[in-house]
Each structure stands twice: as structure tokens, then as C-alpha cells.
């Protein structure tokens, strides 16, 4: 740590802001197009600025590990003994090599190096030509470049097939996306089967209580309920969150067991949007950059001065808020 005073910290942050704009102009333009203003990653106070900061500064080697869907499953089950993960049935590089018998039941075809790249197969029903074409398109692409999602850059592409999670003979419905970091939870975005058979979406707070409002321009249902296994779900997410300053940890509940789905480091490409001010504040405030790899690991060159300056101003901000 290099000691700097408040005045020096502000000067360093200002210079770092200029460097960010000059070094990452495409990212700045992308941010403005998505959010409607220029980013402020050098001293990130708002949620989207924190994602911009992560893309520019935080080169945590763990990000590449958990951005790999296969390695993420192994990491999660290794570091949290109470959760399970769906079985991987096959891995390879081209869809034509997937044996027909592997695709005969309830399975999901995925690529490990991207987000949203899934083909769900129920009871062996699929069109082989369509599956091959789509899966091979994934393998020929490199995810994350468009929005500078650095964690994906070093992931070696692998195509794989895993068992589909089913509950009472049907694809699992109950999904819990925990927004948490360093052992603290902001909230969980929940999808559950509603009383009329349609899926409902809502938010549960740290105590498992539903919170109405709006999330990404969608109304939240007050009908979501914490299951009896809520303490187990919550604890699994918090246990895994100790390895990150902030992460979205997706879990499923299947026949009373907690299953890991994936980690997300750049929600919606780093352009997550929450309409509800209270939820937005929870999201933003739970994410403490001082717990990040960048701030916890000695930096070299000018970055060591920048890290100390950022620490000084973040501490000043906390003190000001506590006195308000």
C-alpha cells in the first residue's frame, strides 16, 4: 500500500478516469448507448460503473475459471459440500460427434464458453441438423468480446451434454439467482411455478420475504414464497460468494436438494438495470470493491497508487454516508 492523502487521491482518480476513456473508448461508447450517459469507472459509485470498473481493472484469475461452465460446476461442488451439480454426459468439440444415445432422454446441450447457449431436449425430441448447426455456431464464436467481458476471454471452448434437471418428471421450474458478495446477500431473483401453472417472478430478501417492485422493467410478483429449504439455498450461495467481491450465483431446487447452475460476473453484459430504487441500492451497496482481487492483491506501476487512492475515497464515502 502506498499512502496518499485525500487531495492526492482525487488527483489520481481524475487521471485514472482520463486513462480509462483513452484506453477503452469502445467500452465507453457502448456504455453510453446502453445506459444513456458516459461511464465513470475510475471511481465507481453506481452499479453499472462498478461493472465497467470490473471489466477494466479486475483481472482476477478466478473469473476465467468460473466463466467456464464446466469448471464452474467443479468449483462450486468442491467449495460447497451441500450442493450438487447435474451430471456431464459427454464433452467434445463438434456437435456431429455427440452419440445419438446421449441425446435420447432429457438432456441439455451447452457450450462452456458463453452465456445462454443451451439446447433443451425433452424425451429425445430434437432435429439433429438444427442442433448440429446451432451448436457448431457456438463453437466457432468467442463470447464476451462485444461487451468486454474479460472473464470469458481465456476459456477454452468445449461442447458438452448434461442431464436435464427434472422435478416430478418435468423440467425443474424453481430457480434462485442470488446476488451476493463476500458472504453478504443483496437479494435473490426467483422464478417459481405459479398457482395457475404459469411461471412467476419475484424477489426475496435476505430473510426470505417477498419484495414487490420492478426489476429490469418487469413487475415483481408478491406471490413468490421462500421454500422450506430457503436456509440451505441461502447458505450455499453465501458460502460460494466468499470467493468474490460480487457475483450472481444461480441455484435450482430439485426434490429438496440444492443444485448449482452457474456463476454470472457480468449480469446482462454489465448493463443490469433495476427500476426499484431500494433494490438498486441493495445491489450496489452489497458490492464492495475493496473485497475485489484487484484491491486485495498488490498492484504494480501506477495501479498501486490508483488502488490506494480508490481505497481512500471509498472509505471517505462510507464515512460521509454514516454521518448523513
Amino acid at each position: 500500500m502506498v499512502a496518499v492523502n485525500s487531495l492526492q487521491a482525487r488527483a489520481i482518480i481524475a487521471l485514472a478516469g482520463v486513462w480509462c476513456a483513452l484506453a477503452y473508448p469502445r467500452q465507453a461508447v457502448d456504455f453510453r448507448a446502453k445506459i444513456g450517459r458516459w461511464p465513470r469507472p475510475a471511481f465507481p459509485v453506481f452499479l453499472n460503473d462498478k461493472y465497467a470498473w470490473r471489466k477494466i481493472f479486475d483481472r482476477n484469475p478466478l473469473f476465467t475459471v468460473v466463466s467456464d461452465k464446466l469448471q464452474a460446476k467443479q468449483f462450486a461442488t468442491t467449495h460447497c459440500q451441500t450442493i450438487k451439480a447435474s451430471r456431464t454426459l459427454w464433452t467434445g468439440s463438434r456437435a456431429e460427434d455427440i452419440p445419438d444415445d446421449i441425446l435420447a432422454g432429457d438432456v441439455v446441450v451447452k457450450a462452456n464458453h458463453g452465456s445462454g447457449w443451451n439446447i433443451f431436449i425433452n424425451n429425445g425430441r430434437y432435429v439433429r441438423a438444427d442442433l448440429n448447426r446451432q451448436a457448431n455456431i457456438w463453437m466457432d464464436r468467442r463470447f464476451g468480446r462485444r461487451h468486454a467481458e474479460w472473464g470469458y476471454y481465456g476459456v477454452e471452448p468445449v461442447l458438452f451434454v448434461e442431464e436435464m434437471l427434472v422435478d416430478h418428471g418435468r423440467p425443474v421450474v424453481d430457480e434462485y439467482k442470488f446476488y451476493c458478495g463476500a458472504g453478504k446477500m443483496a437479494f435473490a431473483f426467483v422464478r417459481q411455478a405459479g398457482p395457475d401453472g404459469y411461471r412467476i417472478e419475484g424477489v426475496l430478501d435476505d430473510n426470505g420475504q417477498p419484495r414487490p417492485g420492478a426489476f429490469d422493467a418487469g413487475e415483481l410478483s408478491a406471490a413468490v414464497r421462500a421454500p422450506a429449504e430457503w436456509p440451505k439455498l441461502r447458505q450455499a450461495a453465501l458460502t460460494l460468494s466468499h470467493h468474490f467481491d460480487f457475483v450472481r450465483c444461480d441455484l435450482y431446487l430439485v426434490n429438496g436438494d440444492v443444485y448449482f447452475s452457474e456463476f454470472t460476473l457480468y449480469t446482462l453484459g454489465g448493463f443490469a438495470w433495476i427500476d426499484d430504487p431500494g433494490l438498486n441500492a441493495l445491489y450496489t451497496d452489497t458490492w464492495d470493491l475493496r473485497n475485489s482481487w484487484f484491491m486485495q492483491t498488490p498492484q504494480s506501476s501506477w495501479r498501486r497508487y490508483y488502488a490506494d487512492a480508490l481505497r481512500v475515497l471509498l472509505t471517505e464515502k462510507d464515512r460521509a454516508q454514516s454521518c448523513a
Side-chain angles (χ1 to χ4, degrees):
M1 181 182 296
V2 181
V4 297
N5 60 39
S6 179
L7 185 61
Q8 291 170 330
R10 294 178 189 282
I12 292 169
I13 293 296
L15 290 172
V18 173
W19 177 84
C20 289
L22 294 175
Y24 295 89
R26 181 178 175 182
Q27 184 171 321
V29 171
D30 191 25
F31 187 102
R32 181 173 175 80
K34 295 283 186 182
I35 305 301
R37 62 171 175 82
W38 294 108
R40 293 186 287 272
F43 182 51
V45 174
F46 300 108
L47 175 62
N48 299 113
D49 295 311
K50 289 188 175 183
Y51 278 116
W53 179 89
R54 170 174 279 181
K55 293 175 183 180
I56 292 173
F57 289 103
D58 203 10
R59 294 296 191 255
N60 187 345
L62 181 59
F63 287 179
T64 299
V65 174
V66 300
S67 294
D68 182 326
K69 299 297 184 286
L70 287 169
Q71 290 194 60
K73 289 200 294 184
Q74 183 177 353
F75 178 90
T77 54
T78 298
H79 289 86
C80 183
Q81 303 298 318
T82 62
I83 64 174
K84 301 180 179 180
S86 55
R87 237 180 2 121
T88 301
L89 305 174
W90 177 89
T91 62
S93 58
R94 303 303 291 176
E96 293 85 354
D97 297 332
I98 305 174
D100 291 337
D101 61 317
I102 293 291
L103 303 174
D106 296 321
V107 298
V108 187
V109 180
K110 297 182 176 183
N112 73 319
H113 64 297
S115 178
W117 292 353
N118 312 302
I119 298 173
F120 294 88
I121 298 176
N122 298 102
N123 297 318
R125 293 193 297 268
Y126 66 98
V127 177
R128 186 68 192 230
D130 292 344
L131 183 151
N132 288 353
R133 181 173 58 254
Q134 183 59 69
N136 288 335
I137 287 174
W138 296 338
M139 296 304 291
D140 292 335
R141 290 179 58 189
R142 294 298 177 268
F143 190 84
R145 264 58 176 184
R146 180 179 178 184
H147 297 309
E149 298 168 78
W150 173 86
Y152 288 103
Y153 290 5
V155 178
E156 188 68 28
V158 176
L159 191 65
F160 67 102
V161 182
E162 67 180 18
E163 286 183 327
M164 182 185 295
L165 296 177
V166 296
D167 190 8
H168 298 95
R170 295 184 299 178
V172 65
V173 173
D174 290 0
E175 182 180 11
Y176 301 85
K177 299 176 181 292
F178 285 86
Y179 291 78
C180 47
K184 295 182 180 180
M185 171 184 162
F187 54 81
F189 180 76
V190 178
R191 292 191 176 105
Q192 294 176 332
D196 54 4
Y198 291 96
R199 197 181 244 195
I200 58 175
E201 298 180 343
V203 162
L204 296 176
D205 66 18
D206 192 36
N207 296 314
Q209 297 300 311
R211 177 165 181 157
F215 192 100
D216 195 22
E219 288 298 317
L220 299 172
S221 172
V224 295
R225 290 292 180 268
E229 298 86 358
W230 174 256
K232 185 163 60 172
L233 278 161
R234 175 183 174 278
Q235 187 55 54
L238 293 184
T239 296
L240 293 174
S241 81
H242 278 287
H243 301 276
F244 307 89
D245 54 326
F246 198 83
V247 70
R248 197 188 83 198
C249 179
D250 295 1
L251 304 174
Y252 288 109
L253 188 61
V254 184
N255 296 321
D257 291 325
V258 177
Y259 277 79
F260 174 78
S261 175
E262 65 179 2
F263 293 114
T264 299
L265 299 168
Y266 313 95
T267 301
L268 296 178
F271 304 109
W273 184 263
I274 299 180
D275 304 270
D276 182 274
L279 285 178
N280 188 68
L282 272 175
Y283 196 148
T284 305
D285 294 344
T286 302
W287 187 351
D288 189 340
L289 300 182
R290 287 166 293 191
N291 294 319
S292 67
W293 175 89
F294 178 85
M295 299 293 281
Q296 296 288 325
T297 305
Q299 300 297 317
S300 60
S301 186
W302 64 269
R303 285 178 172 81
R304 61 179 177 157
Y305 296 96
Y306 167 69
D308 198 51
L310 181 57
R311 189 176 293 105
V312 167
L313 295 193
L314 289 173
T315 301
E316 281 188 1
K317 174 177 170 290
D318 284 350
R319 289 172 180 166
Q321 287 179 335
S322 65
C323 294

